Amino acid sequence: MNWLLVVAGAVIGAPVRYLTDRAVRARHDSPFPWGTLVVNVVGCLVLGLLTGAVSAGVAGPEVRLLAGTGLCGALTTYSTFSYETLRLTEAGAGLYAAVNVVASVAAGLAAAFAGAALAGALWA
């Protein structure tokens, strides 16, 4: 039964990722992969909130599977981040590639910590 929760979350996360990426790209005429950065940072924030909620006992393992593994797993994308960084490097946009790596890691970690801190403040 657990796999159904993961699938249900992924059914939501994958189209949200695609649509968000498209919406962000439509607003930025830049080789920088803003859409992927946005979905990855949002996914880190949601996963941080979820981790805090599970730790506080206000969310159970089913919610973790649905929203964490399923939704966030389909929403975020390490493979696209890697591909786009490689593509930027091959196109001679090394600075954009470096900024993508640093911004993705720093913003993702900050969002995860912020989510966990917010959950702690809400449910402590």
Side-chain angles (χ1 to χ4, degrees):
M1 193 61 160
N2 289 343
W3 67 274
L4 285 174
L5 292 168
V6 174
V7 169
V11 164
I12 297 165
V16 168
R17 174 189 158 329
Y18 175 77
L19 294 171
T20 302
D21 181 59
R22 288 292 182 205
V24 171
R25 279 192 202 189
R27 288 164 179 74
H28 293 278
D29 185 27
S30 166
F32 190 82
W34 289 106
T36 301
L37 179 65
V38 167
V39 296
N40 285 343
V41 171
V42 168
C44 289
L45 177 68
V46 171
L47 200 52
L49 278 165
L50 180 62
T51 299
V54 170
S55 294
V58 296
E62 295 84 9
V63 175
R64 186 181 60 219
L65 286 170
L66 177 74
T69 305
L71 180 102
C72 290
L75 176 65
T76 60
T77 173
Y78 190 77
S79 59
T80 302
F81 155 73
S82 300
Y83 167 76
E84 289 172 342
T85 302
L86 176 64
R87 185 180 49 87
L88 287 168
T89 303
E90 290 175 342
L95 180 60
Y96 278 132
V99 168
N100 188 39
V101 170
V102 171
S104 293
V105 172
L109 285 172
F113 278 99
L118 179 60
L122 291 173
W123 298 299

